[in-house]
């Protein structure tokens, strides 16, 4: 079973991806995480894309598709893929269809998460991440115990470079222009979820709808 988590930045895709991939034994591929890891490592690819990611623009489709192709080869023991933050353009969606076709597979379901801009902006401004282990917090809804350090590894938390108001507004614009057309592309397998609810309520809705979907499709 191959599933896509689709939705604007800050709607909670990354948080849900961790929960859903565990629940259904899916290989969680987050392009944003992979790109940030490259930037942190300072490898050639990371150097090329740093300014693009930090400005909130999209990394070119051919680079992303190559990256996905190599990540998909690493998957051995899972029951499918969960894509978080990919595809982000129709070109990427067509590229993914081709990659899956080669494996005689397809995109089975697309979870479209939505929430109003006000909620999204507030969430992104309150997001803090651990630069060491990647754990994500929210100062309002899921704060670290001491307000500053990672509960898991103790590192000082940081604000993502693209989580400032100006870049957030740009990312929302990019979403509407380049990514929202995917709602039409995938209209025959779309499951719409209200992302404004609590993390556990959203997770329960997604798990229930994937369960219903997989029962109906054998
Ligand atoms: P995210 O962590 O999903 O919010 O992604 C952070 C940033 O990484 C985006 O604003 C883009 O600059 C870049 N990015 C992540 N995924 C993609 C993708 N599928 N295509 C192009 N750029 C991407």
């Amino acid at each position: 079973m191959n599933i896509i988590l689709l939705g604007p930045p800050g709607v909670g895709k990354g948080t849900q991806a961790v929960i859903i991939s565990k629940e259904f034994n899916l290989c969680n591929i987050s392009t944003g995480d992979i790109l940030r890891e490259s930037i942190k490592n300072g490898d050639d690819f990371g150097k090329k894309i740093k300014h693009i990611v930090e400005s909130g623009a999209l990394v070119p489709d051919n680079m992303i598709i190559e990256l996905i192709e190599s990540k998909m080869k690493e998957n051995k023991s899972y029951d499918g893929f969960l894509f978080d933050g990919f595809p982000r353009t129709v070109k990427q969606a067509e590229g993914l269809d081709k990659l899956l076709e080669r494996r005689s597979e397809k995109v089975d379901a697309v979870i479209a998460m939505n929430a109003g801009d006000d909620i999204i902006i507030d969430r992104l401004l309150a997001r803090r991440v651990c630069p060491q282990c990647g754990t994500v917090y929210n100062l309002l809804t899921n704060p670290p115990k001491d307000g500053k350090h990672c509960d898991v590894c103790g590192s000082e938390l940081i604000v993502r470079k693209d989580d400032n108001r100006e870049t957030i507004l740009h990312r929302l614009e990019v979403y509407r222009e380049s990514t929202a057309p995917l709602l039409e592309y995938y209209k025959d397998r779309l499951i719409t979820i209200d992302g404004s609810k609590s993390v556990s309520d959203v997770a329960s809705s997604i798990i229930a709808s994937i369960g219903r979907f997989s029962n109906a499709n054998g």
Side-chain angles (χ1 to χ4, degrees):
M1 184 165 58
N2 299 305
I3 294 180
I4 292 172
L5 280 182
L6 188 65
V11 78
K13 299 187 297 296
T15 305
Q16 295 299 330
V18 174
I19 301 170
I20 306 304
S21 57
K22 277 203 190 110
E23 179 74 24
F24 294 98
N25 190 36
L26 301 174
C27 174
N28 180 6
I29 299 187
S30 156
T31 40
D33 284 352
I34 300 168
L35 299 173
R36 278 185 294 278
E37 191 62 27
S38 264
I39 294 173
K40 191 171 131 193
N41 293 341
D43 56 36
D44 284 350
F45 182 65
K47 280 182 195 143
K48 248 186 243 165
I49 58 159
K50 186 175 190 298
H51 69 283
I52 304 178
V53 172
E54 290 178 357
S55 72
L58 293 184
V59 172
D61 291 331
N62 58 334
M63 288 189 187
I64 294 288
I65 291 165
E66 266 175 41
L67 192 98
I68 291 287
E69 188 173 9
S70 71
K71 282 283 156 193
M72 283 173 72
K73 283 186 190 141
E74 289 171 17
N75 166 38
K76 296 277 181 265
S77 57
Y78 294 98
D79 296 328
F81 296 100
L82 179 73
F83 297 102
D84 157 24
F86 170 85
R88 257 175 157 95
T89 64
V90 170
K91 262 254 161 63
Q92 291 181 18
E94 290 166 351
L96 177 61
D97 284 344
K98 285 200 193 107
L99 292 177
L100 287 172
E101 243 170 66
R102 280 191 222 152
R103 307 161 65 100
S104 306
E105 292 177 28
K106 62 181 172 39
V107 172
D108 295 293
V110 177
I111 311 289
M113 297 173 65
N114 56 33
D117 283 4
D118 290 354
I119 293 179
I120 284 175
I121 294 166
D122 286 349
R123 277 189 190 168
L124 289 176
L125 290 173
R127 176 157 71 183
R128 298 292 180 275
V129 295
C130 175
Q132 201 55 41
C133 70
T135 306
V136 181
Y137 298 88
N138 183 291
L139 295 183
L140 307 171
T141 55
N142 173 33
K145 286 199 186 83
D146 76 352
K148 278 193 175 165
H149 297 88
C150 179
D151 294 343
V152 179
C153 72
S155 303
E156 190 165 349
L157 301 177
I158 57 164
V159 178
R160 257 171 60 170
K161 283 249 169 65
D162 54 352
D163 280 347
N164 60 77
R165 191 174 289 275
E166 195 192 336
T167 312
I168 292 168
L169 293 176
H170 181 54
R171 286 156 67 201
L172 284 170
E173 220 176 271
V174 170
Y175 172 77
R176 274 190 262 280
E177 202 163 289
S178 304
T179 310
L182 291 177
L183 296 168
E184 174 68 20
Y185 187 89
Y186 289 122
K187 64 173 185 248
D188 58 339
R189 39 210 135 151
L190 211 58
I191 299 169
T192 304
I193 298 281
D194 179 358
S196 67
K197 304 247 170 70
S198 70
V199 169
S200 59
D201 282 356
V202 175
S204 306
S205 310
I206 297 179
I207 290 168
S209 27
I210 295 177
R212 275 196 298 276
F213 173 87
S214 59
N215 286 337
N217 291 274

